[in-house]
Amino acid sequence: MKKKEIGLSYNWRPDFRDLEDLPELRAVRTQFFLPTLFLVIAGVTIVFSVLREVHVKNIQQNIESLKVEIASYQEKHDAKVELNSGFMNTTRTLDEIVQFRSGRLLGSDFLLAVSSRLLEGMYLSRIEYIEGRASIEGNLKVSAEEASRLVDKFMVSLEEADVLQGLLDDYKLTSLERSAGGAHFNFRIEVTNSEAEEKK
């Protein structure tokens, strides 16, 4: 072996201060780590993308199930709204009927209320009824003392009539006199609604 060749050989312990004599290791490290790093990054990206797609798919499925549930609730809601609307219309109709009935008195009801409360010896000769005002005329074939008592009792009985409550409440005996022939007594009773009279 020549002396020159011996001088170019590496020592068993290289001088690390002489960079030119050190072997080139940088290329080896770069060629190993860069592909590994790229593979790791690619793998993480793929896993992240797959997880995101799965998450998005789950969200879409949840949205669809919620839409179906909302649609079923909407049908129930519409049915309840329709039922409530029908109930309110019926209630308004009944309220109108009650209001109309409570504010008016039928002539037939008034006639029945008066005639059913006639006492023995009392006879009706004329009844007038206009909304909020009525006139009752009749005669009594009794003595003078009995005539006054019967008329008072008849008026009290009328005041207690259920069909007249809140409609006619002011009863006045405007006339009680003996007839021209003297055989009986004629009476006249005026009945009004006190609230209606006050409004006038």
Side-chain angles (χ1 to χ4, degrees):
M1 185 179 291
K2 296 181 180 180
K3 187 177 179 180
K4 188 176 181 180
E5 293 176 358
I6 294 173
L8 294 176
S9 63
Y10 293 103
N11 296 324
W12 69 276
R13 189 172 60 184
D15 185 4
F16 290 101
R17 290 174 295 180
D18 189 2
L19 299 178
E20 294 180 357
D21 291 339
L22 292 174
E24 183 62 42
L25 299 175
R26 188 180 303 167
V28 174
R29 289 198 304 270
T30 302
Q31 289 177 358
F32 174 76
F33 287 113
L34 283 180
T36 304
L37 180 62
F38 290 150
L39 287 174
V40 170
I41 292 173
V44 170
T45 304
I46 291 171
V47 170
F48 178 76
S49 299
V50 170
L51 290 176
R52 186 176 64 180
E53 290 297 325
V54 170
H55 184 63
V56 170
K57 188 174 182 181
N58 288 335
I59 290 176
Q60 289 176 345
Q61 290 177 349
N62 291 336
I63 290 173
E64 292 300 324
S65 62
L66 287 175
K67 284 182 179 179
V68 172
E69 187 175 357
I70 289 171
S72 66
Y73 285 145
Q74 185 67 35
E75 292 177 0
K76 295 178 182 177
H77 174 73
D78 292 342
K80 289 182 179 179
V81 167
E82 184 177 356
L83 180 62
N84 183 61
S85 177
F87 176 75
M88 293 302 294
N89 290 335
T90 304
T91 302
R92 278 194 293 270
T93 303
L94 291 175
D95 288 342
E96 291 174 0
I97 293 173
V98 170
Q99 185 177 4
F100 175 79
R101 182 65 182 86
S102 63
R104 298 176 64 88
L105 175 65
L106 297 178
S108 57
D109 291 342
F110 180 68
L111 180 60
L112 287 172
V114 172
S115 61
S116 64
R117 284 166 173 76
L118 287 174
L119 301 173
E120 187 176 354
M122 296 184 72
Y123 302 91
L124 293 176
S125 58
R126 185 167 174 266
I127 292 181
E128 286 184 1
Y129 172 71
I130 302 174
E131 187 174 350
R133 179 180 291 274
S135 174
I136 305 170
E137 295 180 10
N139 54 72
L140 297 158
K141 294 183 178 180
V142 294
S143 64
E145 294 178 0
E146 189 71 9
S148 179
R149 188 185 68 80
L150 287 179
V151 170
D152 289 341
K153 191 173 180 181
F154 175 66
M155 290 173 59
V156 171
S157 178
L158 279 179
E159 290 177 1
E160 295 174 351
D162 293 337
V163 72
L164 304 180
Q165 297 301 313
L167 301 173
L168 299 173
D169 55 4
D170 189 13
Y171 298 82
K172 293 179 181 178
L173 178 62
T174 58
S175 174
L176 179 60
E177 56 188 15
R178 190 177 293 275
S179 63
H184 55 270
F185 288 88
N186 295 327
F187 68 89
R188 178 183 176 86
I189 299 173
E190 296 287 340
V191 189
T192 58
N193 185 329
S194 58
E195 292 183 359
E197 290 297 315
E198 289 176 2
K199 290 179 181 178
K200 291 180 180 180

